[in-house]
Amino acid sequence: MRATYTRNLLTGDCRISVKTCSEAINYMGEIYGFIRDNDLFCRMNTDFYRVNFTLRGGEELEEKLPKIMQFIDDVQNGRVKP
């Protein structure tokens, strides 16, 4: 799993791009719940080999960054079960 954070310094828009293998599909319930509970705008693309999640927002996304990174870490280390 690889996450990239970018921020436009002129507009303040933020984007987090998470790329992972297709195994993330097994965690869709947990991922959807996290996105819904934290009021995030997310787009998902998949080709059944790779899954890409793109989170977009402004300063509110930057404020939620530690919580997002903790969720990714929890999924990677098996603390979130499908």
Side-chain angles (χ1 to χ4, degrees), residues 7-13:
R7 181 173 182 210
N8 185 324
L9 296 175
L10 298 174
T11 64
D13 292 338

Side-chain angles (χ1 to χ4, degrees), residues 29-82:
E30 291 77 13
I31 292 169
Y32 175 73
F34 178 81
I35 291 167
R36 182 194 61 222
D37 294 344
N38 290 286
D39 197 32
L40 299 169
F41 174 77
C42 182
R43 176 170 279 160
M44 183 190 85
N45 296 322
T46 184
D47 60 4
F48 296 104
Y49 295 104
R50 292 174 301 274
V51 178
N52 300 319
F53 297 96
T54 304
L55 303 164
R56 293 183 184 266
E59 301 227 353
E60 74 281 352
L61 183 60
E62 187 172 5
E63 293 170 4
K64 295 176 183 179
L65 189 58
K67 190 181 280 189
I68 294 167
M69 295 309 297
Q70 182 62 50
F71 180 75
I72 291 171
D73 187 55
D74 290 347
V75 170
Q76 282 184 320
N77 292 318
R79 290 186 290 267
V80 174
K81 303 290 182 195

Side-chain angles (χ1 to χ4, degrees), residues 6-21:
T6 56
R7 181 173 182 210
N8 185 324
L9 296 175
L10 298 174
T11 64
D13 292 338
C14 300
R15 184 176 92 177
I16 300 172
S17 177
V18 180
K19 297 180 183 194
T20 186
C21 63

